[in-house]
Amino acid sequence: MNVPIVRTVAQLHATVAQWRREGASVAVVPTMGALHEGHLSLVRAALEGADRVIVTLFVNPKQFNSAADLAAYPRTEEEDAAKLAPLGAHLLYAPNATEMYPNGFATTVTVSGVSEGLCGAFRPGHFDGVATVVAKLFLQTGADLAFFGEKDFQQLHVVRRMARDLDIPISITGCPTVREADGLALSSRNVRLTRAERRAAPKLASILFEAARQLSEGASVSQIISEARAAILAADYAQVEYLELRAEETLEPLQALDRPARLLVAAWIGETRLIDNVKIPQQRTKGVLQTAAMATG
Ligand code: PAF
């Protein structure tokens, strides 16, 4: 069966109101389309958590830094709908830009702190665009639950902070990054890679995992980061925007592994910017799980 598609806030409200009368709980999976297995894993998690699942498809102009990037973003609504149908998603909400941002729209949601640095430093305004549209999607759907991928780890923090600060009553779940068999994190941007770039691209993940392993064993943070940065550049990546160790819970920059942490990276291969992150494994010491103690920076 096809997944029903609605394009207006009014249609969305009517559908959700009917579900609420039936006593159903509602989850939302926000996407910009070009759905891949990573998105589908979020939909599956949402279907486990709620009676009804809305997938949103909106290529949000406010979160793109360049008009060329926005124009090049894949738009594959028919294929996306076909991928959702067999999973049993209940609704595809695909508004156009005027429905989302009607004439005179003048509000921006800015989340300070967690949106600064990392992608925020290289994509000015990006997280304002994300926070604004996700706040609208939360309010438009009135969902109880929302599901986001951990691949966009900073985005997950921004969205959580925004919902908390604005008292939007929604529970947000971060789901693990889905990877190709060779380790490359799934991304809608992967289709832009040339054959040669696609062959080289998975080295980013393998370098990240190896660095995380060494950090978990107590290696020096600054040394591992500088070695990993050099390895990424040697692996056909043109530029490393950032490679940083950040606290898992707060996203604070860390010079030493003194709490649960993640290593996050953004790097360019050819014309394509890829991001990835891995959690630093915890070491098992005397039968107790602990984060490896105090590697000095
Ligand atoms: O992660 C994405 O695809 C987008 O940033 C999101 C959350 C759908 C907002 O446009």
Side-chain angles (χ1 to χ4, degrees):
M1 214 175 74
N2 289 342
V3 57
I5 302 178
V6 295
R7 301 195 186 275
T8 67
V9 178
Q11 292 167 326
L12 175 67
H13 282 169
T15 306
V16 173
Q18 177 56 32
W19 291 345
R20 293 303 192 188
R21 282 192 289 277
E22 293 162 11
S25 58
V26 178
V28 63
V29 180
T31 84
M32 296 204 299
L35 301 184
H36 51 62
E37 194 47 44
H39 298 110
L40 302 187
S41 74
L42 303 180
V43 176
R44 287 189 199 100
L47 284 161
E48 278 184 19
D51 302 318
R52 302 283 187 276
V53 171
I54 304 168
V55 178
T56 73
L57 192 178
F58 179 62
V59 182
N60 176 28
K62 291 193 183 291
Q63 69 185 78
F64 284 82
N65 304 95
S66 92
D69 196 23
L70 173 61
Y73 204 83
R75 286 162 174 85
T76 55
E77 184 183 301
E78 239 174 78
E79 290 94 317
D80 293 341
K83 286 177 187 167
L84 292 172
L87 298 187
H90 298 87
L91 193 70
L92 182 59
Y93 172 49
N96 65 22
T98 318
E99 182 70 10
M100 188 60 83
Y101 302 120
N103 232 347
F105 186 86
T107 299
T108 299
V109 179
T110 296
V111 179
S112 57
V114 289
S115 69
E116 290 156 20
L118 303 173
C119 290
F122 291 89
R123 304 188 65 189
H126 168 68
F127 285 121
D128 286 0
V130 170
T132 302
V133 81
V134 173
K136 284 185 64 95
L137 292 169
F138 285 177
L139 295 169
Q140 289 172 346
T141 60
D144 308 297
L145 309 171
F147 292 80
F148 291 84
E150 284 184 347
K151 189 185 134 266
D152 296 295
F153 197 67
Q154 188 176 17
Q155 168 173 281
L156 180 58
H157 271 272
V158 168
V159 163
R160 282 202 164 118
R161 185 75 260 165
M162 175 276 292
R164 228 176 282 150
D165 290 354
L166 298 182
D167 302 315
I168 301 179
I170 192 163
S171 159
I172 297 170
T173 299
C175 298
T177 301
V178 178
R179 297 179 182 279
E180 300 280 7
D182 59 14
L184 180 65
L186 294 193
S187 163
S188 306
R189 291 172 193 269
N190 291 353
V191 293
R192 297 188 191 172
L193 299 172
T194 64
R195 275 201 188 164
E197 288 163 2
R198 176 63 190 82
R199 270 196 302 277
K203 290 180 198 149
L204 187 67
S206 54
I207 293 164
L208 215 52
F209 276 105
E210 175 56 18
R213 188 191 64 75
Q214 291 179 2
L215 288 170
S216 77
E217 290 178 352
S220 149
V221 173
S222 61
Q223 187 183 332
I224 292 301
I225 285 187
S226 99
E227 286 173 9
R229 183 181 272 272
I232 293 166
L233 292 173
D236 291 340
Y237 276 79
Q239 189 200 342
V240 178
E241 279 188 355
Y242 62 78
L243 174 62
E244 288 189 40
L245 188 69
R246 295 280 182 124
E248 176 82 12
E249 297 303 328
T250 61
L251 223 52
E252 282 167 84
L254 297 181
Q255 309 308 324
L257 189 60
D258 53 9
R259 67 196 99 159
R262 246 173 221 259
L263 198 53
L264 300 102
V265 69
W268 285 85
I269 185 159
E271 300 294 307
T272 307
R273 179 180 184 273
L274 297 180
I275 61 170
D276 202 349
N277 67 82
V278 300
K279 191 168 180 175
I280 309 301
Q282 295 188 307
Q283 280 203 326
R284 198 172 280 281
T285 311
K286 292 181 190 156
V288 181
L289 274 179
Q290 292 183 337
T291 300
M294 298 296 171
T296 45

